[in-house]
Amino acid sequence: MEKNSTIIPLTSDLLNKKETVCIFGTGDFGRSLGYKMLQCGYSIVYGSRNPQASGLIPEGATISSHAEAAQMANVIIIAIHRGHYNFLESLGEVLHGKVLVDVSNNLKTNQYPESNAEYLAQLMPNSKVVKAFNTVSAWALQSGGLDASRQVFVCGDDHKSKDKVMEIVRSLGLTPVDKGSLLAATEIENYPLRLFPMWKYPILLSLGLSAFVLVYSIIRDVVYNYVEKDKKYFFFIAISIPNRICPVVALVLLALVYLPGIFAAILQLYRGTKYSHFPNWLDQWMLCRKQLGLVALAYAFLHVLYTLVIPIRYYVRWRIGSYTLEQALNNRTNPLNTENAWLSDSYVALGILGFFLFVLLGITSLPSVSNSVNWREFRFVQSYLGYLTLILCTAHTLVYGGKRFLRPSSYPWGLPSIYIFSLIIPCIVLVMKFFLILPCLDRPLTQIRQGWERKSKYVNHINNDETMKESSAV
């Protein structure tokens, strides 16, 4: 019995020999892009000001002068710096009506009044300029390591030219993202110059919290003992204090992942609608929640590592040995305190479970994992299991403290233990979330998020503002 099978090509050109593409420039990026396109079936011709001296082009490509190379292709990739664009004016007749793909970047954001692509369009008004490929590195093209930079932003004023370039992007195994007209070129050119844009505030916040806990712990545990008891515990700075910084910062950052969602829910309940913008600070906060969570996970990992080395520390072994010798000399043995045993085991068990779920949250935030689950599964892990992680980690810290906060000796110079500060934000988040899941608040919030609007002064005010804007526009 014969089976009919239909094979759907990834692109429309895969079954046919692809066209010739011209590349102006034989630098690292031009060579890497040409090499990748040759692998995908394109014929590549390089345009160079000195064809005889360019001996590093990929095998299978040809090279000639700019004018001769441009005549062989309808798509010309301009892989040269903006400062060398002027020679293109002499090729105006040859490049008339052809697609010019600008791949250049600048050394700093907003370096020029207009983008490089717009500048190229001004120089070559009879050509069709498209911006693309500037977010992909030469190394990624040549080595095939494109997982981190698979998206290619494309913009241009001519739709047919833009579609042609996007077809080339797809054939290279990349994902084109249409950003609209050439006006978007400035944003696209600024994108590669951003240094961890979504990581800036989470990292600065974590460093700020770390610095605060470090200074506070040094004053409370090192300076106090040196001044009041003449004990030199400066070595605490190596392991003991970092092992306090890491769990405190991890717990606070984890709570800050879920706090903006609670603020957003309160705003929606107050406004009675979901069709209104959040404040800019809240928008930015919600956009960097993933980064906050991953930084928190990194601190939790460090806490685990610091905890594992505790038994091999000289100071810990010395204390255990001294305590054992003291008991032997005094001929006494302290009986087992089952209450402390329960607290100790519970504290460790809660920490293990919390860290396990913490790692699970981090794994599901990876694009390769999050893309393989549906929206409901992702929401279940990130929301329900996320709050369970916060509950377990908060309980882990509470049990660790036990009744210690009741002892006067726990307040040297009147300073409470740092773990008490770490519980403030998580407890606020959990209490507020508890009230939000009550039926009297959860039902209207669910209706609002499904599109229902409460007729309130705020909604009427928004509608009136939008009506006035429309009237003024007319």
Side-chain angles (χ1 to χ4, degrees):
M1 184 176 179
E2 294 182 357
K3 294 182 180 180
N4 295 327
S5 61
T6 303
I7 299 176
I8 301 175
L10 294 176
T11 66
S12 59
D13 289 331
L14 282 180
L15 298 179
N16 303 318
K17 182 174 176 61
K18 295 184 175 67
E19 62 181 313
T20 298
V21 174
C22 172
I23 300 178
F24 281 3
T26 55
D28 291 340
F29 186 82
R31 294 197 308 270
S32 300
L33 183 58
Y35 175 78
K36 184 70 175 178
M37 296 182 77
L38 282 168
Q39 287 182 324
C40 296
Y42 286 93
S43 298
I44 301 298
V45 55
Y46 283 93
S48 174
R49 62 179 181 266
N50 193 359
Q52 291 77 19
S54 301
L56 297 176
I57 63 170
E59 184 178 353
T62 58
I63 186 167
S64 60
S65 66
H66 290 113
E68 292 175 352
Q71 291 175 349
M72 301 180 191
N74 290 321
V75 177
I76 295 91
I77 297 174
I78 312 298
I80 57 178
H81 293 289
R82 171 177 173 145
H84 304 301
Y85 282 179
N86 290 335
F87 84 93
L88 295 171
E89 291 182 290
S90 62
L91 302 174
E93 187 175 345
V94 179
L95 298 177
H96 188 281
K98 297 197 174 184
V99 180
L100 304 184
V101 183
D102 180 80
V103 302
S104 64
N105 283 314
N106 295 318
L107 296 176
K108 58 183 180 180
T109 57
N110 302 319
Q111 186 172 353
Y112 300 101
E114 69 285 304
S115 67
N116 295 344
E118 291 173 302
Y119 175 66
L120 179 60
Q122 293 171 10
L123 287 178
M124 311 300 294
N126 296 320
S127 300
K128 302 166 184 176
V129 176
V130 176
K131 185 75 185 183
F133 291 114
N134 69 303
T135 56
V136 182
S137 68
W139 177 87
L141 286 168
Q142 203 162 22
S143 65
L146 292 167
D147 289 340
S149 55
R150 192 170 291 276
Q151 284 190 337
V152 175
F153 298 126
V154 182
C155 71
D157 294 331
D158 185 78
H159 293 290
K160 290 184 179 179
S161 302
K162 188 164 57 175
D163 290 341
K164 182 184 283 290
V165 174
M166 291 173 71
E167 184 70 20
I168 293 174
V169 172
R170 291 189 192 96
S171 68
L172 299 184
L174 304 171
T175 304
V177 179
D178 189 350
K179 301 293 284 186
S181 71
L182 210 59
L183 293 173
T186 299
E187 178 187 354
I188 295 175
E189 290 173 7
N190 287 337
Y191 184 82
L193 299 174
R194 298 173 184 170
L195 184 62
F196 304 118
M198 300 306 298
W199 292 86
K200 178 181 177 181
Y201 293 112
I203 290 176
L204 289 177
L205 178 61
S206 63
L207 292 177
L209 284 172
S210 300
F212 168 75
V213 178
L214 173 64
V215 173
Y216 185 88
S217 299
I218 289 176
I219 293 173
R220 183 182 181 276
D221 300 319
V222 178
V223 176
Y224 170 80
N225 282 298
Y226 181 74
V227 173
E228 300 291 340
K229 301 180 180 180
D230 197 26
K231 293 182 179 180
K232 298 179 181 179
Y233 287 157
F234 296 101
F235 59 88
F236 279 8
I237 297 174
I239 291 180
S240 297
I241 291 178
N243 200 28
R244 291 174 190 163
I245 294 173
C246 292
V248 168
V249 175
L251 183 58
V252 171
L253 291 183
L254 180 62
L256 292 176
V257 171
Y258 295 96
L259 187 56
I262 290 176
F263 286 158
I266 293 173
L267 276 175
Q268 289 177 335
L269 283 170
Y270 171 73
R271 294 172 175 177
T273 179
K274 71 173 184 178
Y275 301 108
S276 61
H277 293 292
F278 293 129
N280 186 56
W281 61 268
L282 185 56
D283 270 334
Q284 294 298 320
W285 190 352
M286 295 184 74
L287 287 173
C288 67
R289 286 181 296 177
K290 174 182 175 180
Q291 288 74 17
L292 278 170
L294 291 176
V295 174
L297 180 58
Y299 273 87
F301 262 113
L302 286 175
H303 174 49
V304 171
L305 293 177
Y306 276 118
T307 303
L308 290 175
V309 303
I310 286 177
I312 65 174
R313 293 179 61 198
Y314 171 78
Y315 173 69
V316 174
R317 289 186 285 114
W318 173 81
R319 283 191 61 181
I320 294 173
S322 299
Y323 179 73
T324 304
L325 183 60
E326 181 184 355
Q327 283 192 319
L329 292 174
N330 295 327
N331 195 25
R332 65 179 176 83
T333 302
N334 290 336
L336 175 66
N337 188 324
T338 55
E339 181 183 354
N340 287 340
W342 264 109
L343 287 173
S344 176
D345 286 0
S346 301
Y347 147 69
V348 174
L350 288 168
I352 292 172
L353 291 173
F355 182 68
F356 170 76
L357 292 180
F358 214 151
V359 172
L360 184 62
L361 289 174
I363 293 173
T364 54
S365 68
L366 298 174
S368 57
V369 178
S370 60
N371 292 338
S372 64
V373 297
N374 60 40
W375 175 84
R376 189 173 183 181
E377 293 168 340
F378 183 79
R379 182 173 179 268
F380 173 81
V381 173
Q382 293 294 326
S383 181
Y384 297 113
L385 290 187
Y387 273 106
L388 180 58
T389 303
L390 182 60
I391 291 171
L392 289 173
C393 292
T394 304
H396 167 70
T397 308
L398 282 168
V399 176
Y400 163 79
K403 298 179 180 179
R404 220 177 299 179
F405 69 96
L406 298 175
R407 303 173 191 164
S409 60
S410 297
Y411 298 87
W413 284 345
L415 300 174
S417 181
I418 194 64
Y419 82 90
I420 296 178
F421 291 113
S422 71
L423 289 169
I424 296 174
I425 297 179
C427 289
I428 290 174
V429 170
L430 292 175
V431 170
M432 294 174 75
K433 182 63 178 178
F434 172 77
F435 284 108
L436 286 175
I437 62 175
L438 294 175
C440 59
L441 294 177
D442 183 60
R443 285 175 188 159
L445 181 60
T446 301
Q447 291 176 337
I448 289 170
R449 289 175 173 174
Q450 290 175 347
W452 176 81
E453 290 186 274
R454 183 178 68 246
K455 298 300 181 182
S456 64
K457 293 181 179 180
Y458 184 84
V459 175
N460 293 333
H461 178 67
I462 292 176
N463 293 334
N464 291 336
D465 285 348
E466 291 178 350
T467 303
M468 291 176 64
K469 288 179 181 177
E470 291 175 358
S471 301
S472 61
V474 172

